[in-house]
Amino acid sequence: MSSLIVPPILTSPRDDAIKLHGAFKGWGCDTAVVIDILAHRDAIQRALIQQDYRAMYSEDLCKRLSSELSGKLEMAVLLWMHDPAGRDAVVMRNSLTTGSLKAATEVICSRTPSQIQLIRQHYHSKFGVHLEDDIKRHTSGDHEKLLLAYVSPPWNEGLEVDRQMVENDAKALYKAGEKRLGTDERTFIRIFCERSRAHLAYVAPVYHSMHGNSLKKVVKKETSGNFEYGLLTILKCSENPAKYFAKVWARTILHW
């Protein structure tokens, strides 16, 4: 969930905190004021508002928002209050602990290595448990192995591409899937998690050129469930991350 455009004229964080406190008074909450302020501030500005609110009213703004709001509005506003890595950590924690694993899979498999490092730090800081431990506790099988491999170092974020390695990986994936009876999931996990996005972006077309089939179709045929969803997310983000996130954003708007 991204922040909305910040208007050119802004009040100070202190003034915003005062207006929010006023919106909580009386019968019910003036949700229009809450949305008008928080939906038009970026992560840094919202953090400053929280600081000033606590200093003036000795109260945590997020807790007050949670008590004043409900439903999808409450969820959206509370997610706004986090910076991107903190928001990802909250989404993943909720997803893992409620058993609705698709959201956690999507967040993990669509983030870059540097983003994953920040998320891991926020996750441990907020919840007192390592992300890897929660993955082990709440997932299983090849899905668990994929997520653990993807959030664990070493990470490769380089832009260099070795043509020979690309061809070797395309051959290895063919042998692990289409060529054999059954699927060698370990090979898919190793290549999809250990290679950079730049490298995987070349593997897909080379695979098609060498073996006459789409790598996405192979993943769909050879795997299933959240494991399939994670592999496809990694592949789509390597090929065109902007297109992937545009579709996610459009899907989110329709859902809301």
Side-chain angles (χ1 to χ4, degrees):
M1 183 185 300
S2 60
S3 300
L4 300 181
I5 296 174
V6 180
I9 301 176
L10 289 176
T11 56
S12 68
R14 178 183 174 84
D15 289 339
D16 284 340
I18 292 171
K19 290 178 182 178
L20 286 170
H21 189 257
F24 301 146
K25 292 182 177 179
W27 291 99
C29 172
D30 190 340
T31 57
V33 172
V34 173
I35 294 172
D36 185 58
I37 293 174
L38 297 180
H40 293 89
R41 305 294 186 266
D42 62 25
I44 295 175
Q45 291 163 337
R46 287 192 288 265
L48 293 173
I49 292 171
Q50 291 184 76
Q51 291 178 13
D52 283 353
Y53 189 93
R54 180 183 289 277
M56 287 189 290
Y57 304 112
S58 300
E59 181 181 38
D60 182 86
L61 178 56
C62 286
K63 290 183 179 179
R64 185 60 186 266
L65 287 167
S66 182
S67 68
E68 296 286 344
L69 305 174
S70 62
K72 291 183 178 180
L73 178 59
E74 176 191 359
M75 181 169 61
V77 169
L78 291 178
L79 286 175
W80 277 340
M81 301 307 292
H82 298 285
D83 61 21
R87 184 162 58 237
D88 282 346
V90 171
V91 169
M92 285 195 294
R93 174 71 171 183
N94 290 341
S95 175
L96 289 169
T97 56
T98 60
S100 180
L101 301 176
K102 189 173 183 179
T105 304
E106 181 168 70
V107 170
I108 291 172
C109 295
S110 65
R111 300 306 187 254
T112 64
S114 56
Q115 290 171 328
I116 291 291
Q117 292 184 62
L118 284 175
I119 293 168
R120 291 171 78 220
Q121 294 169 9
H122 277 266
Y123 199 95
H124 185 262
S125 175
K126 288 179 180 295
F127 308 116
V129 61
H130 293 289
L131 175 58
E132 295 91 325
D133 292 336
D134 262 357
I135 291 174
K136 292 176 184 177
R137 187 174 297 113
H138 299 292
T139 64
S140 61
D142 294 318
H143 181 225
E144 175 189 352
K145 294 173 185 176
L146 175 70
L147 297 187
L148 287 175
Y150 203 77
V151 303
S152 302
W155 293 292
N156 187 348
E157 212 164 0
L159 298 177
E160 302 81 9
V161 176
D162 184 315
R163 175 74 185 190
Q164 186 59 54
M165 186 178 291
V166 167
E167 292 181 358
N168 291 341
D169 283 346
K171 292 176 183 177
L173 289 169
Y174 178 71
K175 291 178 181 179
E178 287 188 281
K179 190 177 181 180
R180 58 176 286 164
L181 182 63
T183 307
D184 178 5
E185 291 85 358
R186 290 178 298 177
T187 296
F188 278 84
I189 292 171
R190 175 178 59 81
I191 293 174
F192 276 63
C193 294
E194 294 182 5
R195 304 296 189 255
S196 67
R197 283 187 174 183
H199 178 92
L200 284 176
Y202 277 89
V203 171
V206 169
Y207 186 98
H208 186 273
S209 176
M210 294 175 68
H211 306 296
N213 205 353
S214 162
L215 187 53
K216 288 180 184 175
K217 290 182 179 179
V218 171
V219 169
K220 292 178 181 179
K221 179 181 178 182
E222 299 290 335
T223 64
S224 61
N226 286 315
F227 180 50
E228 172 194 343
Y229 186 71
L231 291 174
L232 288 175
T233 299
I234 293 170
L235 190 56
K236 291 174 183 177
C237 287
S238 72
E239 293 176 340
N240 193 332
K243 181 179 179 180
Y244 173 81
F245 284 111
K247 289 185 176 181
V248 169
W249 178 243
R251 188 174 70 238
T252 302
I253 292 174
L254 290 173
H255 176 74
W256 284 85

mmCIF file of all heavy atoms in Angstrom, residues 9-25 33-34 36-38 41 45-57 61:
data_model
loop_
_atom_site.group_PDB
_atom_site.id
_atom_site.type_symbol
_atom_site.label_atom_id
_atom_site.label_comp_id
_atom_site.label_asym_id
_atom_site.label_seq_id
_atom_site.Cartn_x
_atom_site.Cartn_y
_atom_site.Cartn_z
ATOM 1 N N ILE A 9 0.940 22.532 0.486
ATOM 2 C CA ILE A 9 0.868 23.332 1.704
ATOM 3 C C ILE A 9 0.498 22.419 2.861
ATOM 4 O O ILE A 9 -0.573 21.814 2.872
ATOM 5 C CB ILE A 9 -0.176 24.462 1.569
ATOM 6 C CG1 ILE A 9 0.186 25.380 0.389
ATOM 7 C CG2 ILE A 9 -0.265 25.238 2.859
ATOM 8 C CD1 ILE A 9 -0.836 26.452 0.122
ATOM 9 N N LEU A 10 1.378 22.350 3.849
ATOM 10 C CA LEU A 10 1.156 21.447 4.975
ATOM 11 C C LEU A 10 1.189 22.194 6.290
ATOM 12 O O LEU A 10 1.950 23.152 6.463
ATOM 13 C CB LEU A 10 2.229 20.358 4.996
ATOM 14 C CG LEU A 10 2.178 19.298 3.904
ATOM 15 C CD1 LEU A 10 3.372 18.377 4.045
ATOM 16 C CD2 LEU A 10 0.892 18.504 3.997
ATOM 17 N N THR A 11 0.366 21.743 7.206
ATOM 18 C CA THR A 11 0.481 22.240 8.569
ATOM 19 C C THR A 11 1.617 21.490 9.247
ATOM 20 O O THR A 11 2.155 20.531 8.714
ATOM 21 C CB THR A 11 -0.837 21.997 9.333
ATOM 22 O OG1 THR A 11 -1.151 20.596 9.264
ATOM 23 C CG2 THR A 11 -1.976 22.794 8.718
ATOM 24 N N SER A 12 1.989 21.920 10.438
ATOM 25 C CA SER A 12 3.072 21.263 11.162
ATOM 26 C C SER A 12 2.569 19.962 11.762
ATOM 27 O O SER A 12 1.352 19.762 11.933
ATOM 28 C CB SER A 12 3.569 22.175 12.282
ATOM 29 O OG SER A 12 2.565 22.303 13.275
ATOM 30 N N PRO A 13 3.473 19.031 12.098
ATOM 31 C CA PRO A 13 3.051 17.793 12.770
ATOM 32 C C PRO A 13 2.278 18.075 14.056
ATOM 33 O O PRO A 13 1.338 17.354 14.377
ATOM 34 C CB PRO A 13 4.381 17.090 13.048
ATOM 35 C CG PRO A 13 5.293 17.590 11.989
ATOM 36 C CD PRO A 13 4.912 19.013 11.773
ATOM 37 N N ARG A 14 2.668 19.127 14.764
ATOM 38 C CA ARG A 14 1.965 19.494 16.000
ATOM 39 C C ARG A 14 0.509 19.880 15.704
ATOM 40 O O ARG A 14 -0.410 19.433 16.390
ATOM 41 C CB ARG A 14 2.690 20.656 16.684
ATOM 42 C CG ARG A 14 2.000 21.147 17.951
ATOM 43 C CD ARG A 14 2.729 22.342 18.533
ATOM 44 N NE ARG A 14 2.000 22.906 19.670
ATOM 45 C CZ ARG A 14 2.076 22.471 20.905
ATOM 46 N NH1 ARG A 14 2.870 21.445 21.188
ATOM 47 N NH2 ARG A 14 1.384 23.027 21.873
ATOM 48 N N ASP A 15 0.313 20.697 14.656
ATOM 49 C CA ASP A 15 -1.052 21.087 14.289
ATOM 50 C C ASP A 15 -1.877 19.873 13.861
ATOM 51 O O ASP A 15 -3.063 19.768 14.189
ATOM 52 C CB ASP A 15 -1.021 22.113 13.160
ATOM 53 C CG ASP A 15 -0.515 23.473 13.616
ATOM 54 O OD1 ASP A 15 -0.574 23.741 14.826
ATOM 55 O OD2 ASP A 15 -0.052 24.251 12.757
ATOM 56 N N ASP A 16 -1.233 18.967 13.121
ATOM 57 C CA ASP A 16 -1.932 17.744 12.706
ATOM 58 C C ASP A 16 -2.329 16.902 13.914
ATOM 59 O O ASP A 16 -3.434 16.346 13.965
ATOM 60 C CB ASP A 16 -1.041 16.911 11.785
ATOM 61 C CG ASP A 16 -0.971 17.480 10.375
ATOM 62 O OD1 ASP A 16 -1.866 18.250 9.997
ATOM 63 O OD2 ASP A 16 -0.019 17.129 9.645
ATOM 64 N N ALA A 17 -1.437 16.818 14.894
ATOM 65 C CA ALA A 17 -1.732 16.053 16.106
ATOM 66 C C ALA A 17 -2.914 16.662 16.855
ATOM 67 O O ALA A 17 -3.788 15.939 17.355
ATOM 68 C CB ALA A 17 -0.499 15.999 16.999
ATOM 69 N N ILE A 18 -2.952 17.980 16.919
ATOM 70 C CA ILE A 18 -4.055 18.670 17.604
ATOM 71 C C ILE A 18 -5.383 18.405 16.883
ATOM 72 O O ILE A 18 -6.422 18.142 17.510
ATOM 73 C CB ILE A 18 -3.774 20.192 17.687
ATOM 74 C CG1 ILE A 18 -2.588 20.455 18.622
ATOM 75 C CG2 ILE A 18 -5.011 20.945 18.158
ATOM 76 C CD1 ILE A 18 -2.104 21.889 18.611
ATOM 77 N N LYS A 19 -5.363 18.459 15.552
ATOM 78 C CA LYS A 19 -6.581 18.209 14.776
ATOM 79 C C LYS A 19 -7.068 16.763 14.947
ATOM 80 O O LYS A 19 -8.269 16.512 15.050
ATOM 81 C CB LYS A 19 -6.331 18.507 13.298
ATOM 82 C CG LYS A 19 -6.156 19.981 12.988
ATOM 83 C CD LYS A 19 -5.856 20.190 11.507
ATOM 84 C CE LYS A 19 -5.641 21.656 11.183
ATOM 85 N NZ LYS A 19 -5.296 21.884 9.770
ATOM 86 N N LEU A 20 -6.117 15.842 14.988
ATOM 87 C CA LEU A 20 -6.506 14.440 15.184
ATOM 88 C C LEU A 20 -7.115 14.236 16.566
ATOM 89 O O LEU A 20 -8.125 13.522 16.707
ATOM 90 C CB LEU A 20 -5.281 13.534 15.011
ATOM 91 C CG LEU A 20 -4.792 13.338 13.573
ATOM 92 C CD1 LEU A 20 -3.442 12.635 13.557
ATOM 93 C CD2 LEU A 20 -5.807 12.532 12.763
ATOM 94 N N HIS A 21 -6.514 14.853 17.558
ATOM 95 C CA HIS A 21 -7.057 14.735 18.917
ATOM 96 C C HIS A 21 -8.476 15.294 18.970
ATOM 97 O O HIS A 21 -9.364 14.726 19.629
ATOM 98 C CB HIS A 21 -6.150 15.458 19.910
ATOM 99 C CG HIS A 21 -6.504 15.210 21.336
ATOM 100 N ND1 HIS A 21 -7.188 16.134 22.110
ATOM 101 C CD2 HIS A 21 -6.278 14.124 22.139
ATOM 102 C CE1 HIS A 21 -7.364 15.638 23.323
ATOM 103 N NE2 HIS A 21 -6.830 14.425 23.370
ATOM 104 N N GLY A 22 -8.700 16.392 18.252
ATOM 105 C CA GLY A 22 -10.040 16.973 18.188
ATOM 106 C C GLY A 22 -11.022 16.065 17.484
ATOM 107 O O GLY A 22 -12.207 16.017 17.838
ATOM 108 N N ALA A 23 -10.538 15.318 16.502
ATOM 109 C CA ALA A 23 -11.418 14.413 15.756
ATOM 110 C C ALA A 23 -11.899 13.258 16.617
ATOM 111 O O ALA A 23 -12.910 12.620 16.307
ATOM 112 C CB ALA A 23 -10.685 13.869 14.530
ATOM 113 N N PHE A 24 -11.177 12.962 17.707
ATOM 114 C CA PHE A 24 -11.542 11.849 18.584
ATOM 115 C C PHE A 24 -12.551 12.258 19.652
ATOM 116 O O PHE A 24 -13.103 11.403 20.346
ATOM 117 C CB PHE A 24 -10.297 11.291 19.286
ATOM 118 C CG PHE A 24 -9.241 10.790 18.336
ATOM 119 C CD1 PHE A 24 -7.892 10.908 18.641
ATOM 120 C CD2 PHE A 24 -9.590 10.197 17.134
ATOM 121 C CE1 PHE A 24 -6.916 10.451 17.781
ATOM 122 C CE2 PHE A 24 -8.621 9.738 16.260
ATOM 123 C CZ PHE A 24 -7.281 9.869 16.581
ATOM 124 N N LYS A 25 -12.791 13.552 19.817
ATOM 125 C CA LYS A 25 -13.679 14.032 20.879
ATOM 126 C C LYS A 25 -15.145 13.893 20.472
ATOM 127 O O LYS A 25 -15.478 13.841 19.298
ATOM 128 C CB LYS A 25 -13.364 15.493 21.205
ATOM 129 C CG LYS A 25 -11.997 15.705 21.862
ATOM 130 C CD LYS A 25 -11.776 17.170 22.201
ATOM 131 C CE LYS A 25 -10.456 17.371 22.917
ATOM 132 N NZ LYS A 25 -10.209 18.804 23.240
ATOM 133 N N VAL A 33 -11.651 13.841 8.974
ATOM 134 C CA VAL A 33 -10.446 14.562 9.408
ATOM 135 C C VAL A 33 -9.256 13.612 9.451
ATOM 136 O O VAL A 33 -8.150 13.946 8.995
ATOM 137 C CB VAL A 33 -10.667 15.223 10.789
ATOM 138 C CG1 VAL A 33 -9.352 15.795 11.329
ATOM 139 C CG2 VAL A 33 -11.715 16.313 10.697
ATOM 140 N N VAL A 34 -9.478 12.424 10.007
ATOM 141 C CA VAL A 34 -8.402 11.428 10.100
ATOM 142 C C VAL A 34 -7.858 11.093 8.717
ATOM 143 O O VAL A 34 -6.640 11.085 8.485
ATOM 144 C CB VAL A 34 -8.906 10.147 10.797
ATOM 145 C CG1 VAL A 34 -7.834 9.056 10.747
ATOM 146 C CG2 VAL A 34 -9.287 10.447 12.247
ATOM 147 N N ASP A 36 -8.232 12.832 5.879
ATOM 148 C CA ASP A 36 -7.683 14.021 5.218
ATOM 149 C C ASP A 36 -6.243 14.290 5.656
ATOM 150 O O ASP A 36 -5.415 14.716 4.846
ATOM 151 C CB ASP A 36 -8.552 15.240 5.529
ATOM 152 C CG ASP A 36 -8.098 16.476 4.765
ATOM 153 O OD1 ASP A 36 -8.064 16.416 3.516
ATOM 154 O OD2 ASP A 36 -7.745 17.469 5.413
ATOM 155 N N ILE A 37 -5.941 14.024 6.910
ATOM 156 C CA ILE A 37 -4.579 14.262 7.412
ATOM 157 C C ILE A 37 -3.653 13.110 7.058
ATOM 158 O O ILE A 37 -2.646 13.288 6.375
ATOM 159 C CB ILE A 37 -4.596 14.481 8.937
ATOM 160 C CG1 ILE A 37 -5.323 15.793 9.279
ATOM 161 C CG2 ILE A 37 -3.157 14.508 9.483
ATOM 162 C CD1 ILE A 37 -5.514 16.016 10.768
ATOM 163 N N LEU A 38 -3.995 11.912 7.497
ATOM 164 C CA LEU A 38 -3.048 10.795 7.396
ATOM 165 C C LEU A 38 -2.869 10.271 5.973
ATOM 166 O O LEU A 38 -1.799 9.760 5.630
ATOM 167 C CB LEU A 38 -3.498 9.658 8.322
ATOM 168 C CG LEU A 38 -3.515 10.019 9.807
ATOM 169 C CD1 LEU A 38 -3.973 8.825 10.636
ATOM 170 C CD2 LEU A 38 -2.141 10.495 10.277
ATOM 171 N N ARG A 41 -0.075 12.500 4.060
ATOM 172 C CA ARG A 41 1.255 12.688 4.655
ATOM 173 C C ARG A 41 2.119 11.485 4.301
ATOM 174 O O ARG A 41 1.613 10.366 4.180
ATOM 175 C CB ARG A 41 1.167 12.822 6.183
ATOM 176 C CG ARG A 41 0.231 13.917 6.677
ATOM 177 C CD ARG A 41 0.711 15.313 6.298
ATOM 178 N NE ARG A 41 -0.127 16.327 6.896
ATOM 179 C CZ ARG A 41 -1.173 16.905 6.292
ATOM 180 N NH1 ARG A 41 -1.501 16.535 5.062
ATOM 181 N NH2 ARG A 41 -1.881 17.816 6.903
ATOM 182 N N GLN A 45 6.467 12.205 7.782
ATOM 183 C CA GLN A 45 5.540 13.158 8.399
ATOM 184 C C GLN A 45 4.613 12.470 9.396
ATOM 185 O O GLN A 45 4.333 13.013 10.475
ATOM 186 C CB GLN A 45 4.732 13.865 7.303
ATOM 187 C CG GLN A 45 5.585 14.800 6.455
ATOM 188 C CD GLN A 45 4.923 15.169 5.142
ATOM 189 O OE1 GLN A 45 4.055 14.444 4.647
ATOM 190 N NE2 GLN A 45 5.327 16.286 4.558
ATOM 191 N N ARG A 46 4.144 11.271 9.051
ATOM 192 C CA ARG A 46 3.275 10.553 9.989
ATOM 193 C C ARG A 46 4.036 10.158 11.253
ATOM 194 O O ARG A 46 3.467 10.143 12.346
ATOM 195 C CB ARG A 46 2.662 9.332 9.295
ATOM 196 C CG ARG A 46 1.588 9.686 8.278
ATOM 197 C CD ARG A 46 0.805 8.461 7.828
ATOM 198 N NE ARG A 46 1.582 7.592 6.975
ATOM 199 C CZ ARG A 46 1.567 7.619 5.653
ATOM 200 N NH1 ARG A 46 0.820 8.518 5.017
ATOM 201 N NH2 ARG A 46 2.285 6.779 4.946
ATOM 202 N N ALA A 47 5.319 9.838 11.100
ATOM 203 C CA ALA A 47 6.131 9.511 12.278
ATOM 204 C C ALA A 47 6.273 10.733 13.187
ATOM 205 O O ALA A 47 6.207 10.612 14.425
ATOM 206 C CB ALA A 47 7.508 9.012 11.843
ATOM 207 N N LEU A 48 6.455 11.917 12.601
ATOM 208 C CA LEU A 48 6.561 13.148 13.389
ATOM 209 C C LEU A 48 5.237 13.477 14.084
ATOM 210 O O LEU A 48 5.222 13.954 15.228
ATOM 211 C CB LEU A 48 6.995 14.308 12.489
ATOM 212 C CG LEU A 48 8.414 14.222 11.929
ATOM 213 C CD1 LEU A 48 8.659 15.342 10.924
ATOM 214 C CD2 LEU A 48 9.448 14.268 13.053
ATOM 215 N N ILE A 49 4.131 13.216 13.406
ATOM 216 C CA ILE A 49 2.812 13.435 14.023
ATOM 217 C C ILE A 49 2.660 12.534 15.244
ATOM 218 O O ILE A 49 2.167 12.968 16.302
ATOM 219 C CB ILE A 49 1.694 13.149 12.995
ATOM 220 C CG1 ILE A 49 1.712 14.188 11.883
ATOM 221 C CG2 ILE A 49 0.321 13.146 13.690
ATOM 222 C CD1 ILE A 49 0.787 13.859 10.712
ATOM 223 N N GLN A 50 3.076 11.281 15.110
ATOM 224 C CA GLN A 50 2.986 10.354 16.247
ATOM 225 C C GLN A 50 3.827 10.837 17.427
ATOM 226 O O GLN A 50 3.397 10.750 18.583
ATOM 227 C CB GLN A 50 3.456 8.960 15.817
ATOM 228 C CG GLN A 50 2.524 8.267 14.843
ATOM 229 C CD GLN A 50 2.961 6.860 14.525
ATOM 230 O OE1 GLN A 50 2.794 5.938 15.330
ATOM 231 N NE2 GLN A 50 3.542 6.655 13.348
ATOM 232 N N GLN A 51 5.012 11.349 17.144
ATOM 233 C CA GLN A 51 5.874 11.856 18.215
ATOM 234 C C GLN A 51 5.226 13.029 18.936
ATOM 235 O O GLN A 51 5.200 13.084 20.176
ATOM 236 C CB GLN A 51 7.228 12.281 17.636
ATOM 237 C CG GLN A 51 8.084 11.134 17.140
ATOM 238 C CD GLN A 51 9.386 11.609 16.531
ATOM 239 O OE1 GLN A 51 9.779 12.767 16.687
ATOM 240 N NE2 GLN A 51 10.059 10.731 15.806
ATOM 241 N N ASP A 52 4.703 13.982 18.175
ATOM 242 C CA ASP A 52 4.084 15.159 18.796
ATOM 243 C C ASP A 52 2.803 14.790 19.531
ATOM 244 O O ASP A 52 2.496 15.358 20.596
ATOM 245 C CB ASP A 52 3.789 16.221 17.732
ATOM 246 C CG ASP A 52 5.032 16.987 17.303
ATOM 247 O OD1 ASP A 52 6.093 16.768 17.931
ATOM 248 O OD2 ASP A 52 4.963 17.787 16.360
ATOM 249 N N TYR A 53 2.049 13.841 18.990
ATOM 250 C CA TYR A 53 0.817 13.419 19.652
ATOM 251 C C TYR A 53 1.130 12.804 21.016
ATOM 252 O O TYR A 53 0.471 13.127 22.023
ATOM 253 C CB TYR A 53 0.073 12.416 18.777
ATOM 254 C CG TYR A 53 -1.321 12.089 19.276
ATOM 255 C CD1 TYR A 53 -2.423 12.798 18.813
ATOM 256 C CD2 TYR A 53 -1.534 11.084 20.211
ATOM 257 C CE1 TYR A 53 -3.700 12.509 19.269
ATOM 258 C CE2 TYR A 53 -2.801 10.786 20.682
ATOM 259 C CZ TYR A 53 -3.882 11.511 20.209
ATOM 260 O OH TYR A 53 -5.149 11.229 20.679
ATOM 261 N N ARG A 54 2.146 11.943 21.060
ATOM 262 C CA ARG A 54 2.524 11.326 22.329
ATOM 263 C C ARG A 54 3.036 12.373 23.321
ATOM 264 O O ARG A 54 2.717 12.311 24.518
ATOM 265 C CB ARG A 54 3.599 10.263 22.096
ATOM 266 C CG ARG A 54 4.052 9.567 23.383
ATOM 267 C CD ARG A 54 5.158 8.574 23.102
ATOM 268 N NE ARG A 54 4.678 7.410 22.388
ATOM 269 C CZ ARG A 54 4.107 6.364 22.972
ATOM 270 N NH1 ARG A 54 3.937 6.342 24.299
ATOM 271 N NH2 ARG A 54 3.699 5.342 22.259
ATOM 272 N N ALA A 55 3.823 13.313 22.825
ATOM 273 C CA ALA A 55 4.381 14.348 23.703
ATOM 274 C C ALA A 55 3.285 15.226 24.307
ATOM 275 O O ALA A 55 3.356 15.610 25.484
ATOM 276 C CB ALA A 55 5.368 15.211 22.922
ATOM 277 N N MET A 56 2.256 15.539 23.536
ATOM 278 C CA MET A 56 1.203 16.440 24.015
ATOM 279 C C MET A 56 0.130 15.739 24.844
ATOM 280 O O MET A 56 -0.408 16.314 25.798
ATOM 281 C CB MET A 56 0.539 17.138 22.814
ATOM 282 C CG MET A 56 1.406 18.202 22.174
ATOM 283 S SD MET A 56 0.509 19.173 20.940
ATOM 284 C CE MET A 56 0.307 17.959 19.642
ATOM 285 N N TYR A 57 -0.182 14.486 24.493
ATOM 286 C CA TYR A 57 -1.325 13.837 25.124
ATOM 287 C C TYR A 57 -0.966 12.560 25.892
ATOM 288 O O TYR A 57 -1.856 11.900 26.427
ATOM 289 C CB TYR A 57 -2.373 13.509 24.053
ATOM 290 C CG TYR A 57 -2.801 14.728 23.267
ATOM 291 C CD1 TYR A 57 -2.470 14.852 21.917
ATOM 292 C CD2 TYR A 57 -3.496 15.771 23.877
ATOM 293 C CE1 TYR A 57 -2.852 15.973 21.191
ATOM 294 C CE2 TYR A 57 -3.874 16.897 23.154
ATOM 295 C CZ TYR A 57 -3.543 16.991 21.816
ATOM 296 O OH TYR A 57 -3.912 18.114 21.106
ATOM 297 N N LEU A 61 -0.711 7.221 19.464
ATOM 298 C CA LEU A 61 -1.685 7.555 18.427
ATOM 299 C C LEU A 61 -2.254 6.302 17.759
ATOM 300 O O LEU A 61 -3.451 6.240 17.471
ATOM 301 C CB LEU A 61 -1.035 8.475 17.384
ATOM 302 C CG LEU A 61 -1.922 8.887 16.195
ATOM 303 C CD1 LEU A 61 -3.204 9.551 16.665
ATOM 304 C CD2 LEU A 61 -1.145 9.810 15.261
#
